[in-house]
Amino acid sequence: MAKQDDDFKKVISHAKEYGYVFQSSEIYDGLSAVYDYAQNGSELKKNIREYWWKAMVHLNENIVGIDAAIFMHPTTWKASGHVDAFNDPLIDNKDSKKRYRADVLIEDHVAKIEAKIEKEVAKAAKRFGDAFDKEQFLATNQRVLDYQEKADGILKRMGRSLENEDLADVKSLIEELDISCPMSGSKNWTDVKQFNLMFGTKLGASAESAMDLYLRPETAQGIFVNFLNVQKTGRMKIPFGIAQTGKAFRNEIVARQFIFRMREFEQMEMQFFIRPGSQQEWYEKWKENRLKWHLSLGMGEENYRFHDHEKLAHYADAAADIEFRFPFGFKELEGIHSRTDFDLSQHEKHSNKKLQYFDPELKENYVPYVVETSIGLDRMFLAVFAHSLQEEELDNNTTRTVLKLPAVLAPTKAAVLPLVKKDGLPDVAHKIIEDLKWDFNVTYDEKDAVGRRYRRQDAVGTPFCITVDHQSLEDQTVTIRHRDTMEQRRVAISEVKGIIHKEVDMRSWLQRMQ
Ligand code: ATP
């Protein structure tokens, strides 16, 4: 645990030191769980958004994108169920006065049991060596089976109690499991209560005429209310999807873990409209497709897993998370939800407008079913950033800190460095930048010895350094250094663009999905 905490602290301080993420309004001591993206962070975030948009909208003939407003008519949230049911169960510790999400306390307890299983697996793998069969071990080892049964039983009971709104049983479960406050160790708990997560605000000039509004807690509803507009104007045929990215707001009870859980964050969502009855098939397809998108970034298959939901939201008939191995363990990165016709039917009811589709093949009208994919852009940022931050032992017994961002996402693709600040080398460097800047985000750096500049670019995640030296003046060549391998090659200036392009081109990264 201490190592995990330590690694995570390093991620947070690196994000600040290298201009990725700052605490919001830091000069006023910050605002809890609100963050600003800095000069490099905003580029990385934009690149992740583009990588998603390209894969989702441009590469799918039957998916289009929109950009709906954050403010929506307040009835939207009544219809969607958010006014009545967008709650988290919270529990306070009477001694430490700390507030927790009851379900998170229980899930953390289960994670500890799962960690014991992983430990058993690691022990057995060591004992049996090459002959070790993990699947068989998991299916037959009695100790592992007992742990698994215990973990499953707890999650099942929690899911049932939450679904039935039996908050007293959620509290009983916390007591039976002997869960204590992570801050103080105390087991002196209050009852579990529901807490609505939406932020309210007002629209209008005078107090009498003002209308109560909510800041949207998800982007999805902007898609549902526009379903028919898009279908008609885009002449879309089912199955088709509508995608969008944008801000969402939630008054999270426990907002810690940096940008993992924020009060203002950004989502990238896609609602896929389908024939009723085909939801299982599309749900499976989208699970597979979204995992492929993640894997295309090359961050290691072993760092992802699916988690099927026991407790389903009020709108869903199936739901799974893609979990990623964050520095603090496996946690939800993306959700894939089969939302049935819940949202469109509810909006029909509350608006008195038909939200139906005439299916020319079936020759009938129906309210489409929906499978949704929903990922937090900030969470994806954290996954990419934390995974990429590495300390490497070098041959000469030194270490280097390197941010091995997937090159397609890196904020700056190349740094151009004149070896010295004189003899016309800066002019050559600027000329190279003049040419490259039309294709890539590039930067110029002439301060300090070139070795230190390389280290700085490694830490900031720049895939290439291009060094201009005296030989460049004579034969129009430069040294190009690769961030990950540290390999340096002498190449003609005219070749540089092609070399960078090959490594950062979104096309070749996304083609890995096929
Ligand atoms: P959690 O269980 O972590 O609260 P959720 O199941 O409520 O998440 P969804 O409503 O399914 O999340 O939202 C879809 C995605 O939006 C999540 O997978 C996550 O990536 C992102 N997300 C949700 N809440 C936050 C938040 N407070 N801060 C950052 N990202 C968030």
Side-chain angles (χ1 to χ4, degrees):
M1 215 48 170
K3 161 122 184 33
Q4 283 190 354
D5 287 350
D6 227 33
D7 287 349
F8 192 38
K9 276 192 194 134
K10 272 188 201 149
V11 167
I12 298 169
S13 63
H14 197 87
K16 178 168 182 199
E17 191 179 342
Y18 288 92
Y20 276 87
V21 183
F22 300 148
Q23 175 84 60
S24 156
S25 3
E26 196 188 71
I27 58 166
Y28 295 106
D29 295 333
L31 186 63
S32 160
V34 186
Y35 291 90
D36 296 339
Y37 287 90
Q39 65 278 18
N40 290 315
S42 56
E43 291 283 340
L44 173 57
K45 196 174 168 200
K46 174 182 71 65
N47 293 345
I48 296 173
R49 195 189 292 112
E50 270 177 23
Y51 197 71
W52 182 88
W53 190 268
K54 186 85 203 166
M56 201 49 106
V57 181
H58 295 178
L59 294 184
N60 285 297
E61 248 177 62
N62 57 348
I63 299 182
V64 292
I66 65 166
D67 185 8
I70 289 173
F71 289 140
M72 297 184 73
H73 192 283
T75 309
T76 309
W77 306 110
K78 188 76 194 150
S80 68
H82 283 82
V83 171
D84 298 318
F86 193 54
N87 302 318
D88 272 347
L90 70 85
I91 188 164
D92 292 289
N93 187 278
K94 290 185 196 162
D95 296 324
S96 68
K97 308 273 182 273
K98 291 279 169 205
R99 178 163 281 188
Y100 298 95
R101 258 173 68 177
D103 54 336
V104 171
L105 281 180
I106 295 169
E107 279 167 6
D108 284 349
H109 182 85
V110 169
K112 281 185 198 151
I113 301 175
E114 284 171 346
K116 285 183 187 164
I117 296 179
E118 280 194 27
K119 231 182 190 164
E120 294 290 334
V121 170
K123 254 183 4 203
K126 211 167 166 191
R127 188 152 22 105
F128 294 115
D130 286 347
F132 182 60
D133 179 342
K134 187 174 169 190
E135 296 294 310
Q136 195 191 353
F137 181 76
L138 289 174
T140 53
N141 181 279
Q142 196 52 48
R143 202 171 300 160
V144 166
L145 289 174
D146 290 346
Y147 283 141
Q148 196 59 58
E149 192 184 336
K150 198 164 160 193
D152 292 346
I154 294 170
L155 289 179
K156 219 173 225 140
R157 174 160 159 207
M158 180 180 84
R160 215 174 28 231
S161 312
L162 287 173
E163 215 158 328
N164 299 336
E165 290 278 313
D166 186 355
L167 298 181
D169 191 57
V170 177
K171 182 179 181 189
S172 305
L173 186 57
I174 288 177
E175 286 171 341
E176 282 166 39
L177 295 173
D178 221 21
I179 295 175
S180 55
C181 165
M183 298 292 286
S184 64
S186 153
K187 293 173 191 161
N188 193 5
W189 296 110
T190 62
D191 288 341
V192 178
K193 282 176 286 195
Q194 292 289 20
F195 176 79
N196 193 290
L197 299 181
M198 284 196 294
F199 282 105
T201 185
K202 289 199 183 297
L203 178 108
S206 70
E208 303 84 63
S209 63
M211 188 182 199
D212 286 317
L213 292 190
Y214 295 105
L215 296 183
R216 67 179 177 196
E218 63 175 25
T219 58
Q221 298 305 324
I223 291 179
F224 289 123
V225 299
N226 279 301
F227 155 72
L228 216 50
N229 282 339
V230 174
Q231 190 271 318
K232 291 224 159 103
T233 56
R235 293 176 300 144
M236 308 299 290
K237 275 210 182 102
I238 271 180
F240 74 91
I242 306 178
Q244 82 166 323
T245 71
K247 286 277 172 106
F249 304 82
R250 296 182 187 179
N251 197 1
E252 297 281 2
I253 302 166
V254 189
R256 34 186 170 94
Q257 293 175 319
F258 193 37
I259 56 172
F260 180 82
R261 191 174 299 289
M262 302 155 90
R263 297 204 162 100
E264 173 181 341
F265 59 102
E266 192 164 336
Q267 288 186 314
M268 307 192 285
E269 296 198 298
M270 192 280 299
Q271 264 65 41
F272 200 69
F273 299 90
I274 53 174
R275 270 187 195 162
S278 65
Q279 66 267 34
Q280 182 68 28
E281 177 198 337
W282 284 109
Y283 172 67
E284 295 300 336
K285 271 196 189 148
W286 277 109
K287 272 174 76 175
E288 191 188 325
N289 182 290
R290 291 305 301 148
L291 184 62
K292 278 190 187 157
W293 180 83
H294 287 284
L295 296 179
S296 72
L297 287 169
M299 300 202 296
E301 207 165 335
E302 68 286 0
N303 293 317
Y304 300 87
R305 70 181 189 193
F306 280 113
H307 166 74
D308 294 316
H309 282 208
E310 289 291 339
K311 174 199 159 203
L312 291 174
H314 57 278
Y315 52 74
D317 73 354
D321 299 333
I322 294 178
E323 295 187 337
F324 182 75
R325 196 196 300 266
F326 286 94
F328 35 84
F330 271 104
K331 293 276 178 214
E332 171 177 345
L333 173 57
E334 169 156 10
I336 293 118
H337 311 126
S338 172
R339 290 180 81 124
T340 68
D341 60 356
F342 175 83
D343 303 86
L344 289 180
S345 299
Q346 284 291 103
H347 287 305
E348 272 202 328
K349 218 184 298 165
H350 284 79
S351 67
N352 277 325
K353 307 259 162 47
K354 274 216 173 322
L355 293 176
Q356 301 197 356
Y357 172 77
F358 178 73
D359 192 320
E361 278 169 41
L362 299 181
K363 299 205 176 12
E364 64 181 61
N365 282 304
Y366 54 77
V367 178
Y369 269 44
V370 171
V371 171
E372 141 186 287
T373 73
S374 174
I375 175 168
L377 175 50
D378 314 85
R379 242 179 234 192
M380 183 63 195
F381 183 112
L382 180 60
V384 170
F385 190 86
H387 175 80
S388 302
L389 184 59
Q390 297 175 19
E391 293 277 335
E392 266 184 7
E393 302 284 336
L394 301 181
D395 290 343
N396 58 0
N397 282 337
T398 57
T399 55
R400 73 162 179 156
T401 302
V402 53
L403 192 63
K404 289 189 171 173
L405 296 169
V408 64
L409 301 181
T412 306
K413 305 305 186 198
V416 185
L417 322 170
L419 190 63
V420 289
K421 274 189 257 180
K422 52 184 187 183
D423 305 336
L425 302 190
D427 296 339
V428 178
H430 281 302
K431 236 189 240 147
I432 294 173
I433 288 192
E434 268 308 307
D435 181 38
L436 293 180
K437 74 180 186 190
W438 297 92
D439 297 275
F440 317 109
N441 188 25
V442 287
T443 186
Y444 173 83
D445 188 5
E446 61 174 24
K447 201 168 169 293
D448 300 324
V450 78
R452 285 188 65 177
R453 280 181 268 167
Y454 285 157
R455 286 289 182 277
R456 195 154 57 225
Q457 295 301 332
D458 286 347
V460 94
T462 310
F464 293 104
C465 284
I466 294 149
T467 306
V468 176
D469 57 16
H470 292 94
Q471 193 184 327
S472 311
L473 299 174
E474 287 159 24
D475 64 4
Q476 301 297 303
T477 62
V478 285
T479 306
I480 187 159
R481 175 185 180 272
H482 196 270
R483 176 196 67 196
D484 296 347
T485 59
M486 294 191 291
E487 182 209 7
Q488 300 186 23
R489 271 198 296 153
R490 191 99 210 161
V491 300
I493 291 174
S494 57
E495 285 178 80
V496 168
K497 197 190 295 179
I499 295 172
I500 301 174
H501 188 265
K502 197 158 164 251
E503 196 105 345
V504 307
D505 179 32
M506 198 179 281
R507 182 192 186 107
S508 49
W509 284 82
L510 279 172
Q511 274 175 345
R512 298 181 191 179
M513 281 180 75
Q514 286 165 356

